[in-house]
Amino acid sequence: MELPGFAVAVWMFVCFYASVGGYPNGKVREACTSMVPCHGSSPQLLPEHTITVNVTQFKPGDNIEVHLSGPDFEGFFIQARDAEHLDSLAVGSFVLADRRHSQLLTCGRTKNSAVSHTSKAKKKDIKVYWIAPGGAPKHIQFLATVVKKYRTYWVKIPGPVVSQPDVISPTPPLHATSEAMSTSYPVSYISKPFSASGCGSTKFCIRNPSNCDPGSASCFFLSFQQEETSVFIEMSGPSEGYLAFALSHDQWMGGDDAYLCVNEDHRVHVSTALLKERSHPLLDSENVLEDVSWRLMDGILQCSFRRSIRLPAYKGRFNMDTSYYIFLADGEATEGGLIYKHHRQPLVTNGLYNVTGLPQDIGGSRSPRLIKAHGALMFVAWITTVSIGVIVARFFKPVWSHSFLFGKELWFQVHRMLMLTTVMLTSISFVLPFVYRGGWSQQAGFHPYLGCAVMALTIFQPLMAGFRPSRHAPRRQLFNWFHWSTGTTARILAVVTMFLGMDLPALDLPDPWDSYAMIGFVAWHVGTDVLLEIHSYCLVRKVEVIEEDRVQILQSLTSAEAEGRLFKHIVLTIYVCGNIVFLIAFLIAINQV
């Protein structure tokens, strides 16, 4: 059954358009606590927008004028919170100054306690009024989340603190998970960036990207250098919040010996901690670090310290003359030093290493090997084998109808071989995340649900093909429709699932390259499909030209068929080469994460 190629394009457009919608109407109550938009990417670190107020003090019942301004932005979310407990609920209520661009939201039990946008129209300045409630905290700080565009946004941009009269200035918020802060050791300032000199010869180094310069703005660097009975450690990377590394017996967080360098109001606090499963690190009260130094410059955080190889008197500190997996993570922190969960997968070494043994210069990966294999197999299946198999079945029946392979028409054998390869690759790939996670993942959003749907359709399609009626059977037309619609639905869902999977923390291909590349592949496939449809239509019109001479008609038909075969073979060759280019690009990206 021949179906118009543009139907595939329309179907893909509708599904993709529905999958990328966010919250353009500003009704983002789900973000009341975290103030983080569900856009699937990490927030920016250096704010471009500012919050200003018209007073520095307030009394219950006062109206305070609040301005949010900066370069063009589409969305925003403003709250007022207790300055000494910024993780608490929103305080007070707002009154709008412009209902065209702003609207009131209720967070928690307080009505009108937040303000957000009404549409994604560009704006430069927002003005609202905050009403101080009775029983308000002594100090109030205004916070704003600003969305410049879908994947570019800032979370909890700090605004000014306003206080009630005759109240002492607020103290920095305490670490929610700290038992006591270790600040008794002397701290010095690092005068220049770290050097990779000696990596692999005198010290053990981990660098990401591999062989990068620790002084560059994109290099994560961790080194260990043994000095008699102690180890001198250097850590640096692009972060305005914190850097941390941990020694672990396995590749999962939990029960690990961690070391954190946290930016606290433009000073770096260095501490040890214990990681208990996937919770905030529990900071130690004991001082086990010496010669602590730090540096903050041009968005790069650096810290160095020394600790003894063995610390038998300190519970939770691992001996450094044993082999471990090494984690390296980065993330955001408040000005008071409260750290947030890292938005991307930590860098993890591919094996166990003894940092006091033979010096090495190694890299690491932010994506586990099983997840990389999962992504690679899915790309092979749904970018190459499926796409080529569909084109062959759709347009090469008349071209290869007189060629046979193992007793069947050539186009059918090629189509069947490619589709069975897809089933095999998809089945293997489907199992790998479950093996890695040990079960179902609650952190992957819609990706696993759509993946299960794709797997079910992938199995159902060849089973249905096994009961295909004969070519002239009455039910053959119904079968053709079911076969086409099931296959097309599986392909669309597979591409949408890959779109979602590329930004998950376990893989997280580079933005925005991954989205552009996938959109390019979809456009490449749809464009090829439409081109071949147009060619087939033109070929039919050419043959339908009425000729008086029957011989002339036969000659025209023979010439048109020959011309059609040559054109289709050229297009297929170019299409296969293009698919391979897309596949190689994705595989290279997977290998580099």
Side-chain angles (χ1 to χ4, degrees):
M1 179 76 186
E2 297 279 331
L3 290 172
F6 70 85
V8 180
V10 172
W11 197 334
M12 283 188 171
F13 175 79
V14 171
C15 287
F16 285 130
Y17 184 81
S19 71
V20 299
Y23 297 97
N25 62 2
K27 297 185 183 298
V28 289
R29 293 185 182 90
E30 294 86 350
C32 276
T33 302
S34 66
M35 297 186 72
V36 178
C38 300
H39 290 186
S41 59
S42 299
Q44 306 298 306
L45 297 178
L46 298 176
E48 297 179 353
H49 306 80
T50 57
I51 309 170
T52 57
V53 296
N54 62 338
V55 297
T56 57
Q57 293 186 340
F58 74 94
K59 299 188 299 294
D62 284 356
N63 283 10
I64 297 178
E65 186 177 298
V66 182
H67 276 270
L68 172 64
S69 59
D72 285 349
F73 56 96
E74 296 180 354
F76 66 92
F77 193 43
I78 301 175
Q79 290 185 9
R81 295 190 179 184
D82 184 344
E84 295 181 301
H85 301 90
L86 290 178
D87 289 331
S88 60
L89 298 177
V91 176
S93 58
F94 288 90
V95 175
L96 301 179
D98 183 357
R99 294 182 179 275
R100 294 175 303 166
H101 297 128
S102 56
Q103 63 180 328
L104 298 172
L105 297 178
T106 296
C107 285
R109 298 180 180 178
T110 306
K111 188 176 181 180
N112 301 336
S113 55
V115 186
S116 72
H117 54 282
T118 57
S119 71
K120 59 188 298 185
K122 301 287 187 182
K123 34 202 162 276
K124 291 180 179 291
D125 180 80
I126 292 294
K127 181 173 74 172
V128 294
Y129 297 95
W130 180 74
I131 303 175
K138 296 177 181 179
H139 310 281
I140 294 294
Q141 185 169 21
F142 294 94
L143 303 174
T145 290
V146 177
V147 178
K148 186 175 182 180
K149 53 185 179 180
Y150 188 78
R151 290 186 179 274
T152 305
Y153 60 89
W154 295 261
V155 174
K156 290 185 179 179
I157 297 173
V161 176
V162 294
S163 304
Q164 297 193 44
D166 304 322
V167 174
I168 302 173
S169 298
T171 56
L174 297 175
H175 292 253
T177 57
S178 64
E179 294 179 343
M181 299 305 295
S182 311
T183 56
S184 59
Y185 47 72
V187 177
S188 61
Y189 188 76
I190 299 171
S191 60
K192 60 182 180 179
F194 295 143
S195 171
S197 176
C199 286
S201 57
T202 61
K203 57 186 179 182
F204 186 100
C205 297
I206 300 172
R207 292 192 272 177
N208 180 255
S210 297
N211 302 316
C212 63
D213 179 7
S216 70
S218 60
C219 183
F220 288 91
F221 176 78
L222 178 64
S223 72
F224 303 84
Q225 186 168 11
Q226 183 175 357
E227 300 175 349
E228 297 181 352
T229 60
S230 65
V231 176
F232 185 68
I233 300 168
E234 297 175 327
M235 179 165 55
S236 72
S239 177
E240 296 285 346
Y242 71 91
L243 290 174
F245 81 89
L247 306 176
S248 178
H249 295 291
D250 53 37
Q251 291 183 301
W252 294 93
M253 287 181 61
D256 305 327
D257 181 11
Y259 301 80
L260 294 86
C261 300
V262 184
N263 181 1
E264 297 185 14
D265 193 20
H266 306 293
R267 295 184 62 85
V268 176
H269 178 83
V270 183
S271 62
T272 56
L274 176 65
L275 298 182
K276 291 186 175 181
E277 297 181 349
R278 297 195 171 197
S279 60
H280 277 75
L282 183 62
L283 304 183
D284 291 329
S285 57
E286 300 100 338
N287 175 16
V288 299
L289 306 179
E290 301 173 346
D291 299 335
V292 176
S293 300
W294 61 270
R295 183 176 187 258
L296 278 172
M297 186 67 66
D298 299 327
I300 300 177
L301 188 156
Q302 295 177 275
C303 63
S304 63
F305 51 89
R306 179 179 283 102
R307 63 147 280 187
S308 297
I309 294 177
R310 290 178 172 268
L311 294 167
Y314 295 94
K315 184 180 179 181
R317 303 279 71 80
F318 293 178
N319 295 329
M320 302 200 76
D321 54 359
T322 306
S323 295
Y324 305 100
Y325 289 100
I326 304 171
F327 289 67
L328 180 58
D330 65 291
E332 295 181 43
T334 66
E335 290 187 358
L338 177 65
I339 68 172
Y340 295 102
K341 180 183 177 181
H342 44 81
H343 290 286
R344 57 176 176 172
Q345 195 87 348
L347 185 75
V348 184
T349 57
N350 293 322
L352 295 162
Y353 291 95
N354 181 352
V355 298
T356 60
L358 182 68
Q360 298 186 57
D361 187 5
I362 64 171
S365 174
R366 295 187 184 275
S367 179
R369 289 178 178 175
L370 287 177
I371 299 300
K372 285 186 175 183
H374 167 74
L377 291 176
M378 284 298 186
F379 280 127
V380 171
W382 295 95
I383 286 183
T384 53
T385 57
V386 159
S387 302
I388 298 171
V390 168
I391 292 291
V392 167
R394 177 80 181 97
F395 298 104
F396 282 79
K397 288 181 184 179
V399 176
W400 293 346
S401 59
H402 301 296
S403 301
F404 293 87
L405 181 66
F406 302 119
K408 295 285 185 179
E409 292 175 333
L410 178 60
W411 74 265
F412 178 76
Q413 293 288 50
V414 172
H415 173 72
R416 181 164 63 178
M417 178 190 68
L418 290 172
M419 292 309 178
L420 290 177
T421 302
T422 299
V423 174
M424 179 186 68
L425 293 175
T426 304
S427 301
I428 296 172
S429 178
F430 179 77
V431 174
L432 297 181
F434 292 98
V435 174
Y436 170 70
R437 293 288 182 186
W440 186 266
S441 172
Q442 301 293 337
Q443 311 295 325
F446 290 106
H447 179 77
Y449 297 97
L450 292 175
C452 289
V454 170
M455 186 70 251
L457 291 173
T458 302
I459 296 297
F460 178 70
Q461 184 77 332
L463 291 178
M464 180 171 58
F467 296 94
R468 179 179 62 254
S470 61
R471 182 169 299 178
H472 302 293
R475 294 193 302 273
R476 181 57 180 257
Q477 186 176 13
L478 181 64
F479 166 81
N480 288 343
W481 271 101
F482 270 110
H483 191 60
W484 176 86
S485 59
T486 301
T488 303
T489 302
R491 290 161 56 208
I492 293 172
L493 288 179
V495 174
V496 173
T497 305
M498 287 190 289
F499 257 111
L500 298 176
M502 291 187 301
D503 287 330
L504 289 177
L507 189 60
D508 196 18
L509 298 184
D511 286 322
W513 174 90
D514 55 350
S515 297
Y516 293 153
M518 185 57 73
I519 292 172
F521 164 70
V522 172
W524 173 253
H525 177 78
V526 174
T528 303
D529 197 292
V530 170
L531 176 64
L532 289 173
E533 282 287 353
I534 294 173
H535 173 260
S536 297
Y537 174 79
C538 293
L539 200 61
V540 170
R541 294 288 298 170
K542 185 175 182 179
V543 173
E544 286 178 350
V545 174
I546 300 176
E547 297 285 353
E548 294 295 335
D549 189 346
R550 183 179 300 273
V551 176
Q552 182 64 38
I553 295 175
L554 293 174
Q555 290 176 347
S556 298
L557 183 61
T558 304
S559 175
E561 287 180 344
E563 179 184 338
R565 289 193 186 96
L566 178 61
F567 180 82
K568 287 183 178 180
H569 279 111
I570 292 173
V571 172
L572 179 63
T573 302
I574 296 174
Y575 177 72
V576 171
C577 292
N579 282 26
I580 293 174
V581 170
F582 278 109
L583 176 62
I584 292 173
F586 280 114
L587 294 181
I588 291 174
I590 289 174
N591 184 60
Q592 290 178 345
V593 296

